[in-house]
Amino acid sequence: MKTLIISDLHGNLPALEDLHNLHPSINNWISLGDNVNYGPWSNECVQFLEQRINCISLIGNHEKYFLQGFYEGSNKLVEIFFEKCFSTFCEFNILKKYKKNTTLDNFYLAHTIKNKYIFKDTKVSIDKHSVIGHSHQQYKVKKSGFMLINPGSLGQDRAYINRGNYIIYCSETKKFQLKRFIYNFNYLINEMKSKKYPDECINYYLSKERL
């Protein structure tokens, strides 16, 4: 059996739909959290994962912000994104069902560990094989004698904004495949403009490199 694992979708419906079209036969999905905020389709992404596919969604820091009703950080740009996206969000009942963590065979899955951004070269001690998101960086490394795997961001790759990242796990071989694809970035920008996103938000996306 194959399981498709994503993280940090961030309201990017075109990337989600393209990924689903790439793997229509995979019925088991896991989202490591941050399905919402930034992109203009937070409601639609939450609905898609809940209603159209068999997806276990975990709670990320942005779901936490939505559920508590405020962004608790100090990043002004994130605050602007939050105010724009939160004002039209309505799928709180779905978010309330998100789990804090789950397991897949002998791997522990969560949005992150100790609320930290953990990159490939971050010094961190773990006590179990783990799959996490949050840092938007795809990698598969060994830490403290255990595997640490990150699918990267499906909807907001930090290096190339039009690149979607994900993992396919095969339960028969016990192997994780790190995968990538390119999606049409113009749909995202056009929708942000249509929904009158602040210039700061649109310029943030336009400033990123594309493949």
Side-chain angles (χ1 to χ4, degrees), residues 178-193:
L178 305 184
K179 308 277 283 185
R180 288 171 166 168
F181 69 101
I182 304 301
Y183 69 91
N184 192 330
F185 174 72
N186 293 326
Y187 290 130
L188 179 70
I189 293 300
N190 291 340
E191 186 69 10
M192 291 176 74
K193 290 179 177 178

Side-chain angles (χ1 to χ4, degrees), residues 46-106:
V46 169
Q47 292 163 356
F48 191 105
L49 294 171
E50 174 74 9
Q51 299 167 4
R52 291 190 55 184
I53 57 178
N54 179 29
C55 183
I56 296 171
S57 286
L58 307 184
I59 189 166
N61 52 299
H62 286 271
E63 280 85 21
K64 177 186 174 184
Y65 303 150
F66 273 37
L67 287 171
Q68 68 189 17
F70 62 92
Y71 164 63
E72 61 189 29
S74 58
N75 187 308
K76 185 61 179 178
L77 183 60
V78 178
E79 183 180 342
I80 294 171
F81 270 111
F82 174 83
E83 290 174 355
K84 177 62 178 177
C85 298
F86 181 74
S87 66
T88 58
F89 189 75
C90 59
E91 296 293 351
F92 295 101
N93 287 335
I94 296 178
L95 295 194
K96 290 176 182 177
K97 296 190 291 184
Y98 283 14
K99 299 180 178 181
K100 289 184 178 181
N101 55 69
T102 189
T103 58
L104 184 62
D105 287 341
N106 64 331

Side-chain angles (χ1 to χ4, degrees), residues 146-157:
F146 296 96
M147 290 303 305
L148 181 63
I149 304 172
N150 192 318
S153 173
L154 174 56
Q156 198 191 72
D157 184 284

